[in-house]
Amino acid sequence: MKKFLLFNMIIITLIFSLFSITSYAEANKYENIKIGLHYGSSAKSSANLMCYSGFELGYENENGDFKLISALAETQITISVSTEGYLQVNNIFVNADFPNICIRPGYGTLQLDGKDFRGSMIFIKDKSNLITVINKVNLEEYLYSVLGREMSPSWPIEALKAQAICARTFSINNWNKYASYGFNLDNTQNSQVYSGISSEGARTVQAVEETRGQLVMYDGKPAQTFYFSSCGGKTANVKYVWGSEFPYLVSVDDPYENPKEASYSDWTVEYSADEIKALLTKRNINIGNVTNVEIVSEDNGTVYDIKIIGESGEHRIKNDNIRAFFNLKSQHFTLSAPQSELIYPSVTIIGGNGISTLSLNNLSVYNTSVVSALSVLSAKGVATIEASMPNTSDKFIFSGHGWGHRIGMCQWGAKGMADQGFKANDILTHYFPGTSIGSSYLE
């Protein structure tokens, strides 16, 4: 068994083994959460830690308990993989039997590659001999940071409290999302954005502490609490976005979002027929030249079925795939097809002053559904005049509202409700109808 090559290792280990570590023990399954900072394609070849109080070095067993191996007096250390394939700290090799390296601060916080984090850091070697880096932190302290990234800390405290309850409930409902990597959630928008202490603030801490343990509940269980930026006046039914069904994830009107301040409350995206054909070709779909795009079905403003018509076929797109295909801000939009302007050169008419020939260059008819010829009764009888058809717009225009999937809580709407005096519970039960707020997640 390879040992750590540390000065006075045995003496220091004996001393620290006498100290209680119960402050790190989990009182329940949800007390501490593991956040993947680097994994998969973002896994690291090495990681640098700094702590002015030194480090406690050990590993985490299968029960999640910290097992102390030694104390390190160094204030800076590097974790990497040795040429033999072992995790190592500086030049100290870790026994291959240890499943990971877990490092805690002597006291205070840890700094990983220049960023400060609460809790401990866990390092796991993956199959590519790269390092998965995990921050294990108290769930409530994790939310201090999430709140500062997912909602502006300057917003009303009741909106922040609603966000805290949403984020806490989301965390528990997605506890096993990244179990195959050895952690609970990652630090990106795939889970909830998290960046450690840098995004904490007095008001994010206040909002978390004033709602400590509270969850959005439905039928005695934590609800699925999704949230997003802007809804443009209506939220979406989850059925028409992700295909699932929850009685509290339905479309609700949102008169509270202020379109003058909300991000992308209104937006426009334009595509030519050739550009849409290119999007299809990129996905190996061939229906010839695109002749039209039609909305097939929508629910309370949410478009969930669209048809692209080509010269040799058609292609249907449904639910959230619509937003992804056209790179739209949301599924809440109307669609205008390219329009042609019919121009008639001249017409001979019988007027009060006799027979006259009038130029009709300034007379036009819009809408591609009208006929392309004009029949008139002139001094010479009935005549048919063909019209020229120059395009006034060669684009398919998506005129939309809102930003995000629009399922659950609208953050700009929550701000608007808080501005009008609504409490966090009012906000949440508006966006998640039929739910209630539970008092604690502790088992």
Side-chain angles (χ1 to χ4, degrees), residues 311-336:
E311 292 177 335
S312 58
E314 63 182 43
H315 179 67
R316 298 282 282 273
I317 310 173
K318 296 186 178 182
N319 296 347
D320 195 44
N321 292 324
I322 296 171
R323 183 164 66 113
F325 183 91
F326 291 105
N327 193 28
L328 305 177
K329 295 296 181 185
S330 77
Q331 288 174 238
H332 185 12
F333 61 83
T334 57
L335 175 61
S336 300

Side-chain angles (χ1 to χ4, degrees), residues 81-99:
V81 179
S82 72
T83 55
E84 293 90 349
Y86 298 114
L87 285 170
Q88 62 180 6
V89 178
N90 293 347
N91 293 322
I92 305 162
F93 293 89
V94 176
N95 186 312
D97 292 335
F98 295 160

Side-chain angles (χ1 to χ4, degrees), residues 35-36 39 142 146 149-151 170 174 177-178 185-195 226-229 242 323 403-405 411:
I35 307 300
Y39 68 100
Y142 157 72
V146 167
R149 293 299 305 273
E150 294 286 4
M151 181 176 279
F170 178 92
N174 292 273
K177 185 175 182 178
Y178 292 91
L185 300 175
D186 75 358
N187 61 337
T188 73
Q189 288 181 340
N190 294 327
S191 300
Q192 299 179 123
V193 182
Y194 169 74
S195 56
F226 301 105
Y227 53 90
F228 59 93
S229 178
W242 295 329
R323 183 164 66 113
W403 185 16
H405 50 66
Q411 290 170 314

